[in-house]
Amino acid sequence: MKIGELAKLAQCSVETIRFYEKEGLLPTTERTLGNFRVYGPAHIERLRFIRNCRALDMSHEEIHTLLRLADQGGDGCSAINEVFDEHIAHVDTRIKELEQLKQQLAELRQHCQSNHNPCGILQGLADMEIPSKLDKKRTHLG
């Protein structure tokens, strides 16, 4: 099948397929004499696997690791469990960050209890101090 057919069957865009090929998540494929890529059932399965991992907010690095483990086979579940345990820890970190964000927003919202001019929220935003993002990577996704 051609790339458009693959995109339709896998419910994603042609650009997504090309991006995953470029990233090395989806293997490159043979081309016809007319220079069209030709895909098969294995490409659909792999693309769905990648999409499902992305739906779970997994990074490309994590997906690469899982694909490598799947391709090697025979290692059992321990290495896969490690990837998932690390991802769960990242999700826990992100939840804490989102809870802190919610608290900051709620505090800013308290700066304005009525319709004055200038709005207290705007002054709160101007006065707020935030830690530098350069100091620490926020989550596994960056």
Side-chain angles (χ1 to χ4, degrees), residues 49-68:
F49 181 93
I50 294 165
R51 286 186 52 246
N52 289 339
C53 288
R54 290 297 298 144
L56 295 172
D57 202 31
M58 296 185 128
S59 69
H60 287 180
E61 181 181 330
E62 290 167 324
I63 299 169
H64 271 291
T65 301
L66 290 175
L67 288 170
R68 183 177 39 77

Side-chain angles (χ1 to χ4, degrees), residues 83-112:
V83 173
F84 267 73
D85 290 342
E86 286 179 25
H87 187 63
I88 291 167
H90 294 304
V91 170
D92 286 338
T93 299
R94 186 66 182 139
I95 289 170
K96 289 175 187 168
E97 290 172 351
L98 289 171
E99 288 171 348
Q100 291 172 351
L101 173 61
K102 182 180 177 183
Q103 181 62 35
Q104 283 180 304
L105 291 169
E107 289 171 9
L108 282 169
R109 179 59 182 92
Q110 293 301 313
H111 283 56
C112 186

